Amino acid sequence: METGTMGETDGPAWVGLPGGLLTLRRTLLLIWTVLLAVVTAVVPGLTLGPAWAALGAIWLVVLAWGWVLLGRNWRSWRYAERADDLLISRGVLWREETVVPYGRMQLVEVTSGPLERRFGLASVQLHTAAAASDAKIPGLAPAEAERLRDRLTALGEARSAGL
């Protein structure tokens, strides 16, 4: 199965996400698992005896497992700008590839919550007429997110099939 717009000789030029998103997600994983490990170790340790405090070690396994899974998930996210559409690919076990034609885009948003701003990240949200086809690219550098928003908006206005 070929990918790319008709007339292109090469496949799409995929762009991965910067490492800031992985750092943010791993930091949150570390904070939550350490907090849960402490609570899981202290409460049984005080009420049932010191041997039960070893239950907190379960969260260390969750931390190691989550650390690896977050890395795999982060590496799976990528996007490609083609002549007529934007491709977004993600997923490790279940791959999902979203194709958003520029002419179908109605709104392109750049959002950045408090944690994202702290880590220097922003997300690009694409809205189309069909709610199920909305797409999001998380964890971009703010300058790249703004550049992508401006480019997608200009291309969407030029194609204007969805307006």
Side-chain angles (χ1 to χ4, degrees), residues 90-139:
R90 64 193 168 279
V92 178
L93 292 176
W94 287 272
R95 301 281 308 157
E96 184 175 331
E97 190 167 297
T98 304
V99 180
V100 183
Y102 297 133
R104 300 288 181 192
M105 283 188 250
Q106 293 185 332
L107 175 67
V108 182
E109 288 182 301
V110 174
T111 59
S112 187
L115 284 175
E116 288 179 310
R117 282 194 306 273
R118 173 70 178 98
F119 283 84
L121 301 172
S123 296
V124 174
Q125 178 79 39
L126 308 165
H127 298 278
T128 62
S133 65
D134 289 356
K136 184 175 185 175
I137 304 173

Side-chain angles (χ1 to χ4, degrees), residues 10-162:
D10 297 329
W14 292 102
V15 178
L17 299 181
L21 180 65
L22 180 60
T23 304
L24 169 62
R25 289 180 176 174
R26 283 183 170 170
T27 301
L28 290 174
L29 175 69
L30 184 66
I31 290 169
W32 281 105
T33 54
V34 167
L35 179 66
L36 290 169
V38 168
V39 169
T40 306
V42 169
V43 172
L46 293 176
T47 58
L48 301 173
W52 287 93
L55 286 176
I58 292 171
W59 292 106
L60 298 177
V61 174
V62 171
L63 175 64
W65 181 59
W67 196 271
V68 171
L69 289 181
L70 285 174
R72 290 183 63 194
N73 180 269
W74 170 76
R75 281 189 301 277
S76 75
W77 276 89
R78 58 190 185 154
Y79 67 96
E81 298 173 63
R82 298 192 305 180
D84 297 323
D85 49 30
L86 177 73
L87 299 175
I88 302 170
S89 178
R90 64 193 168 279
V92 178
L93 292 176
W94 287 272
R95 301 281 308 157
E96 184 175 331
E97 190 167 297
T98 304
V99 180
V100 183
Y102 297 133
R104 300 288 181 192
M105 283 188 250
Q106 293 185 332
L107 175 67
V108 182
E109 288 182 301
V110 174
T111 59
S112 187
L115 284 175
E116 288 179 310
R117 282 194 306 273
R118 173 70 178 98
F119 283 84
L121 301 172
S123 296
V124 174
Q125 178 79 39
L126 308 165
H127 298 278
T128 62
S133 65
D134 289 356
K136 184 175 185 175
I137 304 173
L140 296 173
E144 172 63 9
E146 291 173 8
R147 182 205 64 83
L148 192 58
R149 178 200 57 208
D150 294 342
R151 176 165 160 55
L152 295 176
T153 301
L155 288 168
E157 288 173 357
R159 305 290 193 299
S160 69

